[in-house]
Amino acid sequence: MFRENMEADVTFDSDDAGRFDPDTDDAYSSTEEMAVVESPPKIISRGVDVFYGDTQALFGVDIDIRPNEVTALIGPSGCGKSTFLRCLNRMNDIIDGCSVRGSITLDGRDIYAKSVDTVHLRARVGMVFQKPNPFPKSVYDNVAYGPKIHGLATDKDDLDAIVHSSLERAGLLDEVKDRLHEPGTGLSGGQQQRLCIARAIAVEPEVILMDEPCSALDPIATSKIEDLIDEMRNNYTIVIVTHNMQQAARVSQRTAFFHLGKMIEYGHTDTIFTNPNEVRTRDYITGRFG
Amino acid sequence: MTELSTNTPKPRDVSAIVTAGLAKRYAAERRFRAFGIAAIAIAVAFVALLFSSIIGNGYTVFVQTHMRLDVELSADAIDPKGTRDATVLARGDYAGLVKGALRERFADVKKRRDKRKLHGLASQGASYDLRNMVLADPNLIGQRISVWLPVSDDADMLIKGHIPRHTGEGSRRISDKEIAWLDALAEAGDLETQFNVRFFTSGDSREPELAGIWGAVVGSALTLLVTIALAFPSGVATAVYLEEFAPRNRWTDLIEVNINNLAAVPSIVFGLLGLAVFLNFFGMPRSAPVVGGFVLAIMTLPTIIIAGRVALTSVPPSVREAAYGLGASPVQAVFHHVLPLAMPGMLTGAIIGMARALGETAPLLMIGMVAFIVDIPGSFTDPSTVLPVQVYLWADSPERAFMEKTSAAIMVLLAFLIVMNGAAVYLRKKFEVRW
Amino acid sequence: MQLTILLATLLILTVIGFHMGRSRAVSTAVSGIGHLNSLPSYYGIYVAVWCGVPAGVVLILWLLFEPQVVETLVVAGLPEAARTLPENKLDLLLNDIRNLAVGNIVSRDVDPEMQRAADHYASIRRMGGAAMIGVVLALAVAGIGFGRKAISPELRARTRIENVLMVFLIGCSTIAILTTVGIVLSLLFESLRFFQLVSPVEFLFGLEWSPQTALREDQVGSSGLFGSVPLLAGTALISFIAMCVAVPVGLLSAIYMSEYAASKVRSAVKPLLEILAGIPTVVYGFFAALTVAPFFRESGNLFGIGISSESALAGGLVMGIMIIPFVSSISDDVISAVPQSLREGSLGLGATKSETIRRVILPAALPGIVGGILLAVSRAIGETMIVVMAAGLAANLTANPLEAVTTVTVQIVTLLVGDQEFDSAKTLAAFALGLVLFFITLILNVAALSVVKKYREQYE
C-alpha cells in the first residue's frame, strides 16, 4: 500500500536519477509507520525554485511530507535546507528580493495562492528557530502571545488553560510553574527552546517547522528536546532541519538530503542512513564532506 | 500570581477563529501603517514649510531697488574752495545733493512734511554712493550726472511687494503720496531693481538697505579657524590616546564618561564657561573671534573625539599587527599606519563638528559676540559677530526689510552648512573602505 | 603683530633645530647610521622639541596670565583712594586706564593721577612684552644648544620623542575632564557669590521671578525677586509640548522607516530628516517667531481664544520639530538593534507586522527608547535660541500652553546679554540658573547614557 502511494505521489525529475526508490526499501516494515502512511501527504512541494535576487538558492525541490511524521532535512550548510523549510510557512516573504516558484500545497491547497493569507498560514504552520528567541516578556506572556493575537481564548481561564497545557506538552510546566511571571529570557537555553516550542504549540498548529532547534544547546537539553519531538509527532506534522545526522537518525521517520540547492535523495530515514542510493548522500553520511 | 487552571483547553477550530479575526487585524495593520506615513508626512511638511517660509521671505534680497536721479554735483556743496583734497571731498554734503535732486524731480512738492517724506525715499546709502563716485573721479564735480541710487528700505519693500498697497494708509509704513512718487518714477523708467552687491560686501548697519552679511561671514570664518585649529588636533590626539594607548582603568573610564556627557551638555553652559573663565578670569577681549573659537572648540571637541574613535575602530587590527610584525613601535604603528587610514573618517567628523559650530548661537551671545558691529573684522581679536548671531540680531529688528535680511542671512548660513555637510558626505563616500 | 613675528621666529628656530639635530646625529655616527639608536630624523625632532616646547609653554603662560599680573601691578601703583574702591568701580577705572594707555576714548576726565597710572600701565606692558620676547627666544636657542649636546649614538631619541608624544596625548585627553571641572567650578563659584546675596531657599522654592535690580541702593524693592520655580515650570511646559510633538512623530517615523519603508523611500526621507537635524537652532527660532507664533495668534483670534504671540505652544511646537530627527535617529538605532530573531519568532506565530512591532519590538526596545527620550528631554531643556526668540520674558507660573512663559535659558541670555554689571545679583543669578541647568541635564544625560548602554549590552 505504501509503495503504491509513493509511486502515485512522488514524481521524479528525469534529470536526477533515482532520488528515491521505494522498491529498494526493504528495511521498511514497522506497522506503526505503515498506519501513518495511509493518510495522504500533508504538504506536497513540486518544482520549488527559490531566488534571492538573482542568485538561485533552490532548484526544483519535490517533497511529500506526511502527517504525524517527523521529516528531517539534512545537508551541508548553505545547501538550501533552511530556505526550503522557510518556504513552508512563507517566512521567506519577509526577506527583500526573495521569490519562490513552483507549488507547495498544504492539505491540497496552494499556500502561495493569492487568496492565502500568511497570518492564517503561519497560525497553521508554526515555527521554532535555531536560536531560542523568547520575547522579552514573562514565561506566561510568551506562551499566551499567539493565542492572544489570534483571539483564540474566550476568557482568562481559557487562556490559562491553553498556557498550562502548552507548557505541559512542551514538558516545561514542572520547571517553570513557580516562575510563570518571570522573564522568559531568564530561563536556561534548553528551557528557552522548549518555551519557544510551547509558544508555537499554544496556537495549535497542524505543522511545526523546526530550524536546527538544538544547535545552540548542550547535549542534555538536546536530548530532552529530541524526546519532546518524538512525543509531539502524535499530534503534529513536524519538519526539522538539522546539521546533526545522528539527530536526524534518532528523531525522524523520513529524511531528505539537500546539496547545493538541490534535493538529492528523499526516503525513509533508515534507508538514507543505511543504504542510500546516491553516492553524494553516502559521502555526506559517511563524513566525506559537509 | 495566579494559579493556572489545569483544565484541558476545550477543543476549538483554530483555523476558523483566525480567519474570523483577520479583517479586524488587517484594519489595525493599515491604521498603524497610516500613522507611520502620517508621521513622516508631518516631518517632511515641516521641512517644506520651513524652507518655503524662509526662501519666500528672503529671495528678494538678491536685488535692491534703485532710482535714477539727475544729480547736480555742485562744487559749492562738495569742494567750495576747489582743493580737490580727498578729506575735503569726503566731507561734502552729498545727502543735500540727493535731496536737491529729489526736490527738483518732484518740483510740485511744497509742504515741509511732504518734503521730508520725499527726502526719505532715498536711502542714506545714496549719499555714500555719490561720495564714492566723486572720490573715485573728482572731475565729476560741477557736472550734472544721471545716476542709479538705492531707495529706502520701505520703498524697496513696497516695490518688492512685501508691503501690501491696498490696505489702509495707517497700517503701513509708507504713505499714499510716497507710493505715488514711486509709481511716477517707475512709469518714467527711472526705477529698477539691480543686483544687491552691498548685501554681500558690507557689514551690519542700522539701515536695512545698507546692512550686509560680509562682516558676519568674516567673523564666522575667523571663529571657525580658531575652533578647528584647537579642536581638531586635540580631538584627534584624545581619540588616538583613548582608542590605541589608554589602559583600561578608572581614569580612562572617567574621561570617557566626561566626553559622553559633555556631548550632551547644553551649549549655553559652554557660553557661561567662556564668560567666567576666558573673559572674567583670563581677561580675554569681549566679542572677539578668538574667544568664540575657544568656546566652540571646547563644545565641538566631544563630537570630534567620538567620530575619531569610530574611525580608529574601523581600521582592522591586522594593520597594526602587520606594522608590529615589521618591527614598528606601537607609536609608529599608530602614527604611520592606523592614523592615515582613519584620517578621512576623522576629517568627516571634524567637518560635521564645524558645521554644528557654525550654526551655534547661544554660547556666543554669552561672550558678547552679539554687539552691533559695522566694521569688517580684520583680526582674531577685533570685535565681530558671526552668521547665526547676525540672524538673531536682524530677527530682533522691527523693520520689515530686516525680515528679508534675516531670511537671506539664513539662506547664506544654510548654503555654507550644505556645502560643509556635502563635503563630509563626499569624503566619506570617496574614502570609504570596506575591510 | 608682534606676536605673529615672534611665533614665526620660534617656528624658524624649531626648523633650524631639527636640521641641526639631524645633521649632528649623522655626523656623530662615525661608524655609519646603522649604529645610531634611532633614525636621524628622530634626533632632529628631539632637538626641535627642546627648542620649541619650553619656549612655547612660557609664551602660552605669559599670554594667559599677563593681563592679571599687569592689572595687579597697576592697582598696586594706584593711590590709596582708588585701591579701596568697590570691585566694579575699580574695574571701570582700570578699563579707562587701559583705554587711555592705548589712546582710545575715555569715559571720564583725565586727571594727572590717571595719566600717571596709564603711563605706568603702558610701561609695564612694554617691559613685560620685551622681557617675554627675550625669555622666549633665549629659551629656544638654549633648547637647541642643550638638545644638540645631548645627541649621541646611544641616545634613545625615538623613545624620548614617543614619551613626549604620549604626554601630549594624555594632556589632550584630560581636556574633557578639565572642561567639566571648569564648568562646575565656574558655575559653583559664581553661584556661591549669588547665594550670599539671595538665599538658596528663595532661589529654589520662590514662586516669583523679577530680577530687576535697583538703580539706587535705597530704592523700594531694590532686592529683586529670584524665585526660580516659574522658570523651571516654564521650561518644563515648553519641553513637555516639544516632547508631545517629537516623540510620536519621531518614533512613528523611525518605526515606519525601519520596518515598513522600501529602501527607496528610506533613502529619500532619511536625508530630509537629517536636514532638519542640521538646521541651526537660530533658524528654528526665527521660524517660530515669524511664522508659527503669528499663525497661532491669528487662528486663536479666529476662534475667539486669546493666544499670546509668545505662547509656549509656538516655542514648544518648533522645538519639537527640532527634536524630531534626534528622537527618530535614536529610535531607529534602538529598533534596528532588536534582534531579527524576535521579529521572526513573532511573525512565525502568525502575528501581523504591526502586532509584532507593538507587542514584541517596542517592548523589547523600550529601555533604549526611554534612554533616547531622556536625552531628547535634556536637549529640550537646554535649548536656547528657539525660546529666546519665540518665548516670553515675563515669568508666568502657569500650565496654560496658550500663555507666554519664560525658561531658564531665556533668563540666562537676558541677564547676560547687553549692559551688565558684574557682581550684581542679576548677573550672578544667570550663573546660578546655569548651575541648575547643568545639573538637571547632567542627571538626565547620565541616566539616559547608562540606560542606553545597558540596553546595547543586552543584545550584543
Side-chain angles (χ1 to χ4, degrees):
Chain A
M1 204 188 305
F2 160 69
R3 290 170 192 204
E4 284 161 21
N5 253 331
M6 287 314 291
E7 275 157 14
D9 288 334
V10 180
T11 52
F12 296 109
D13 282 343
S14 50
D15 62 337
D16 207 343
R19 270 185 183 166
F20 173 51
D21 188 351
D23 289 330
T24 59
D25 188 9
D26 44 11
Y28 204 78
S29 59
S30 157
T31 47
E32 181 200 326
E33 273 148 8
M34 290 295 282
V36 165
V37 175
E38 280 175 69
S39 45
K42 185 80 179 163
I43 298 175
I44 302 170
S45 111
R46 286 293 173 274
V48 171
D49 297 334
V50 176
F51 298 84
Y52 290 119
D54 292 333
T55 44
Q56 189 165 0
L58 280 184
F59 300 84
V61 175
D62 301 340
I63 290 185
D64 289 19
I65 289 161
R66 309 237 149 220
N68 299 90
E69 274 190 8
V70 177
T71 305
L73 311 179
I74 62 167
S77 50
C79 66
K81 54 194 193 297
S82 286
T83 302
F84 179 69
L85 186 78
R86 295 165 67 96
C87 288
L88 300 182
N89 69 344
R90 294 181 58 176
M91 279 302 275
N92 282 332
D93 287 16
I94 62 173
I95 297 169
D96 280 342
C98 177
S99 61
V100 178
R101 272 194 237 145
S103 93
I104 299 175
T105 59
L106 175 65
D107 288 339
R109 290 172 58 189
D110 186 2
I111 63 168
Y112 280 89
K114 277 229 170 75
S115 60
V116 170
D117 186 89
T118 52
V119 168
H120 186 221
L121 173 70
R122 289 172 193 160
R124 292 177 66 197
V125 183
M127 190 158 189
V128 174
F129 296 84
Q130 184 168 2
K131 253 178 75 183
N133 57 350
F135 302 135
K137 300 165 176 281
S138 70
V139 171
Y140 182 94
D141 285 338
N142 260 288
V143 182
Y145 179 78
K148 269 189 193 160
I149 53 171
H150 292 302
L152 298 184
T154 47
D155 54 31
K156 179 83 173 84
D157 278 349
D158 195 21
L159 190 62
D160 282 355
I162 294 176
V163 171
H164 182 269
S165 85
S166 307
L167 284 171
E168 193 170 34
R169 278 193 278 171
L172 192 62
L173 186 63
D174 292 337
E175 291 162 62
V176 300
K177 65 172 174 245
D178 297 327
R179 36 180 181 158
L180 284 173
H181 296 279
E182 284 169 35
T185 41
L187 301 176
S188 74
Q191 287 172 331
Q192 286 189 11
Q193 195 59 297
R194 278 180 285 152
L195 178 61
C196 292
I197 293 173
R199 187 174 72 185
I201 58 186
V203 188
E204 297 180 33
E206 298 154 38
V207 182
I208 297 180
L209 311 175
M210 297 187 170
D211 191 356
E212 304 194 20
C214 302
S215 66
L217 305 180
D218 60 75
I220 295 170
T222 301
S223 92
K224 276 193 185 166
I225 302 238
E226 285 179 6
D227 291 347
L228 179 60
I229 292 171
D230 204 44
E231 255 170 60
M232 284 162 61
R233 179 157 64 92
N234 299 321
N235 299 312
Y236 308 99
T237 304
I238 295 173
V239 186
I240 177 171
V241 163
T242 176
H243 61 261
N244 178 338
M245 282 173 284
Q246 283 72 29
Q247 186 172 62
R250 281 194 300 264
V251 301
S252 71
Q253 283 71 53
R254 281 166 207 269
T255 297
F257 171 62
F258 281 72
H259 183 49
L260 297 177
K262 294 196 173 97
M263 197 200 69
I264 308 297
E265 189 166 359
Y266 177 44
H268 291 293
T269 300
D270 299 345
T271 321
I272 296 278
F273 279 94
T274 52
N275 189 17
N277 273 336
E278 278 282 320
V279 181
R280 276 174 289 179
T281 316
R282 190 188 312 272
D283 286 351
Y284 179 68
I285 285 170
T286 53
R288 296 260 173 88
F289 70 94
Chain B
M1 209 32 101
T2 47
E3 271 300 304
L4 286 189
S5 84
T6 47
N7 310 333
T8 343
K10 42 196 164 190
R12 70 198 85 214
D13 183 356
V14 171
S15 182
I17 299 175
V18 172
T19 311
L22 277 179
K24 221 174 131 192
R25 288 167 69 190
Y26 276 115
E29 173 78 25
R30 278 192 298 275
R31 266 199 311 279
F32 190 73
R33 192 186 281 247
F35 281 140
I37 294 176
I40 289 179
I42 289 174
V44 172
F46 277 135
V47 177
L49 186 63
L50 186 76
F51 275 85
S52 61
S53 121
I54 283 163
I55 293 174
N57 272 303
Y59 76 97
T60 47
V61 87
F62 298 107
V63 291
Q64 156 80 29
T65 313
H66 286 68
M67 57 184 166
R68 183 159 54 194
L69 287 181
D70 295 329
V71 185
E72 179 84 52
L73 292 171
S74 74
D76 288 350
I78 303 169
D79 190 13
K81 294 186 186 137
T83 57
R84 293 293 187 268
D85 180 12
T87 48
V88 177
L89 294 185
R91 282 202 204 120
D93 180 20
Y94 298 98
L97 293 179
V98 175
K99 285 177 190 169
L102 275 167
R103 277 199 304 272
E104 185 188 315
R105 174 82 191 232
F106 297 100
D108 52 333
V109 179
K110 294 286 181 238
K111 275 194 259 172
R112 248 180 95 85
R113 259 184 48 206
D114 289 348
K115 276 188 186 166
R116 205 179 308 138
K117 275 204 172 130
L118 181 63
H119 297 158
L121 279 187
S123 160
Q124 281 192 5
S127 52
Y128 302 152
D129 282 0
L130 274 187
R131 182 182 65 195
N132 291 341
M133 283 169 74
V134 169
L135 284 173
D137 180 13
N139 293 330
L140 287 174
I141 295 173
Q143 291 184 26
R144 185 180 173 82
I145 55 169
S146 174
V147 281
W148 287 101
L149 294 172
V151 301
S152 73
D153 55 326
D154 289 334
D156 188 40
M157 287 297 106
L158 180 87
I159 301 299
K160 286 172 179 172
H162 291 309
I163 295 179
R165 278 163 179 265
H166 303 294
T167 50
E169 198 175 355
S171 64
R172 52 180 141 83
R173 283 172 55 97
I174 191 159
S175 68
D176 288 343
K177 274 192 185 136
E178 287 166 285
I179 293 179
W181 294 327
L182 286 169
D183 287 344
L185 279 170
E187 214 151 289
D190 289 337
L191 201 64
E192 70 174 33
T193 51
Q194 299 176 351
F195 182 71
N196 193 350
V197 184
R198 206 187 290 271
F199 178 70
F200 295 99
T201 54
S202 61
D204 200 3
S205 167
R206 296 276 182 222
E207 301 299 320
E209 73 275 15
L210 302 182
I213 197 81
W214 186 241
V217 171
V218 172
S220 271
L222 291 172
T223 308
L224 282 192
L225 267 179
V226 176
T227 305
I228 191 120
L230 292 172
F232 188 63
S234 49
V236 168
T238 308
V240 166
Y241 178 70
L242 289 179
E243 208 51 58
E244 304 287 338
F245 300 114
R248 288 264 132 238
N249 58 22
R250 282 176 166 225
W251 180 248
T252 313
D253 284 348
L254 183 69
I255 294 177
E256 281 186 24
V257 168
N258 261 295
I259 290 169
N260 287 333
N261 182 54
L262 282 179
V265 164
S267 60
I268 193 168
V269 171
F270 289 101
L272 289 173
L273 172 79
L275 174 59
V277 173
F278 297 129
L279 296 191
N280 289 355
F281 186 72
F282 287 121
M284 291 167 123
R286 269 179 89 80
S287 314
V290 61
V291 184
F294 267 91
V295 170
L296 293 182
I298 290 176
M299 204 194 79
T300 41
L301 201 53
T303 316
I304 294 179
I305 294 173
I306 291 168
R309 295 187 67 175
V310 171
L312 285 169
T313 25
S314 71
V315 177
S318 59
V319 171
R320 295 172 188 89
E321 283 156 13
Y324 295 153
L326 295 171
S329 71
V331 173
Q332 284 172 323
V334 168
F335 280 84
H336 295 173
H337 300 283
V338 179
L339 197 54
L341 288 172
M343 208 28 103
M346 292 181 153
L347 281 175
T348 311
I351 294 174
I352 289 168
M354 286 306 110
R356 264 193 61 196
L358 174 61
E360 199 54 68
T361 321
L364 301 180
L365 299 184
M366 299 290 98
I367 54 161
M369 291 189 88
V370 66
F372 171 71
I373 289 146
V374 179
D375 297 326
I376 313 287
S379 84
F380 292 110
T381 48
D382 282 355
S384 58
T385 187
V386 293
L387 271 172
V389 176
Q390 189 68 74
V391 169
Y392 168 65
L393 284 171
W394 282 347
D396 247 14
S397 311
E399 287 93 344
R400 175 60 185 77
F402 269 124
M403 198 150 124
E404 181 200 46
K405 297 280 162 182
T406 315
S407 303
I410 288 174
M411 282 155 69
V412 172
L413 178 59
L414 290 181
F416 277 113
L417 289 177
I418 287 169
V419 168
M420 288 170 88
N421 283 309
V425 170
Y426 173 77
L427 257 181
R428 187 159 41 199
K429 285 257 157 66
K430 173 146 194 210
F431 292 98
E432 196 171 45
V433 185
R434 294 241 169 259
W435 298 100
Chain C
M1 204 23 71
Q2 224 180 9
L3 190 64
T4 322
I5 293 170
L6 182 62
L7 279 176
T9 320
L10 199 54
L11 194 70
I12 292 167
L13 278 177
T14 311
V15 173
I16 292 173
F18 173 78
H19 283 287
M20 285 171 75
R22 193 171 59 178
S23 55
R24 164 119 182 142
V26 175
S27 63
T28 39
V30 220
S31 40
I33 295 176
H35 288 266
L36 283 172
N37 181 281
S38 316
L39 291 174
S41 59
Y42 279 104
Y43 291 93
I45 299 173
Y46 179 76
V47 176
V49 165
W50 266 114
C51 165
V53 171
V57 168
V58 168
L59 179 58
I60 289 169
L61 287 180
W62 186 83
L63 285 176
L64 284 180
F65 292 103
E66 189 247 15
Q68 280 96 324
V69 176
V70 172
E71 198 171 278
T72 332
L73 287 175
V74 171
V75 171
L78 285 176
E80 180 65 26
R83 257 182 292 158
T84 48
L85 278 174
E87 204 172 322
N88 48 351
K89 294 245 174 77
L90 187 62
D91 275 345
L92 277 180
L93 180 65
L94 280 173
N95 207 23
D96 280 336
I97 291 174
R98 235 171 277 147
N99 281 334
L100 189 61
V102 277
N104 281 349
I105 304 151
V106 179
S107 64
R108 64 179 88 187
D109 296 332
V110 181
D111 52 30
E113 201 65 60
M114 223 178 122
Q115 188 59 53
R116 215 172 48 236
D119 293 343
H120 187 200
Y121 172 82
S123 76
I124 291 176
R125 287 210 61 181
R126 249 197 325 276
M127 268 163 51
M132 184 270 294
I133 290 173
V135 169
V136 165
L137 292 183
L139 265 179
V141 173
I144 292 180
F146 180 85
R148 198 167 165 275
K149 235 182 120 189
I151 289 176
S152 70
E154 290 78 41
L155 178 73
R156 300 165 70 86
R158 186 176 54 78
T159 327
R160 295 283 179 88
I161 300 299
E162 292 185 354
N163 288 343
V164 170
L165 193 65
M166 211 43 76
V167 169
F168 171 70
L169 294 187
I170 294 173
C172 284
S173 69
T174 52
I175 291 179
I177 291 180
L178 288 181
T179 307
T180 309
V181 170
I183 290 174
V184 172
L185 281 188
S186 58
L187 292 181
L188 261 185
F189 182 65
E190 307 280 335
S191 301
L192 284 180
R193 284 180 21 185
F194 173 69
F195 289 134
Q196 284 165 4
L197 300 171
V198 176
S199 97
V201 178
E202 191 209 320
F203 177 69
L204 287 176
F205 303 106
L207 297 183
E208 285 203 50
W209 175 269
S210 66
Q212 267 53 268
T213 31
L215 298 171
R216 281 169 38 192
E217 297 284 324
D218 51 352
Q219 188 178 320
V220 182
S222 63
S223 57
L225 289 165
F226 292 97
S228 63
V229 172
L231 309 188
L232 294 174
T235 308
L237 178 63
I238 290 188
S239 305
F240 176 75
I241 296 169
M243 299 323 283
C244 286
V245 175
V247 171
V249 175
L251 189 56
L252 281 170
S253 54
I255 289 171
Y256 189 83
M257 301 272 267
S258 58
E259 302 288 326
Y260 285 107
S263 57
K264 262 188 192 167
V265 176
R266 207 171 13 233
S267 60
V269 176
K270 266 214 156 157
L272 269 175
L273 283 179
E274 277 165 17
I275 289 179
L276 273 182
I279 292 175
T281 55
V282 68
V283 178
Y284 284 108
F286 179 62
F287 179 61
L290 168 93
T291 312
V292 180
F295 172 74
F296 278 140
R297 198 188 47 230
E298 301 293 317
S299 30
N301 289 345
L302 217 59
F303 296 105
I305 317 165
I307 298 181
S308 159
S309 56
E310 294 172 333
S311 66
L313 194 59
L317 174 76
V318 174
M319 195 188 277
I321 299 171
M322 181 199 86
I323 294 175
I324 288 173
F326 188 75
V327 173
S328 120
S329 88
I330 288 190
S331 309
D332 200 354
D333 286 355
V334 166
I335 288 171
S336 336
V338 173
Q340 190 62 20
S341 69
L342 288 185
R343 283 182 191 87
E344 292 192 339
S346 171
L347 293 173
L349 287 169
T352 63
K353 243 180 172 175
S354 69
E355 284 161 353
T356 304
I357 293 164
R358 279 182 290 135
R359 288 164 176 254
V360 176
I361 296 177
L362 285 185
L366 195 62
I369 293 175
V370 168
I373 291 176
L374 284 183
L375 276 181
V377 171
S378 148
R379 275 205 132 186
I381 290 176
E383 171 47 40
T384 309
M385 289 322 290
I386 295 178
V387 280
V388 164
M389 295 168 84
L393 288 177
N396 277 334
L397 189 54
T398 175
N400 181 356
L402 306 181
E403 279 183 44
V405 293
T406 191
T407 72
V408 173
T409 47
V410 170
Q411 288 305 315
I412 294 178
V413 170
T414 16
L415 291 175
L416 287 182
V417 168
D419 299 327
Q420 44 168 292
E421 64 262 61
F422 281 97
D423 302 335
S424 83
K426 202 174 151 185
T427 312
L428 292 174
F431 285 91
L433 288 177
L435 189 67
V436 170
L437 184 66
F438 180 72
F439 272 106
I440 292 176
T441 52
L442 180 75
I443 291 165
L444 283 171
N445 296 342
V446 170
L449 290 173
S450 67
V451 168
V452 171
K453 198 175 167 204
K454 249 193 210 133
Y455 170 77
R456 291 254 157 81
E457 281 163 0
Q458 183 192 333
Y459 288 123
E460 256 165 21

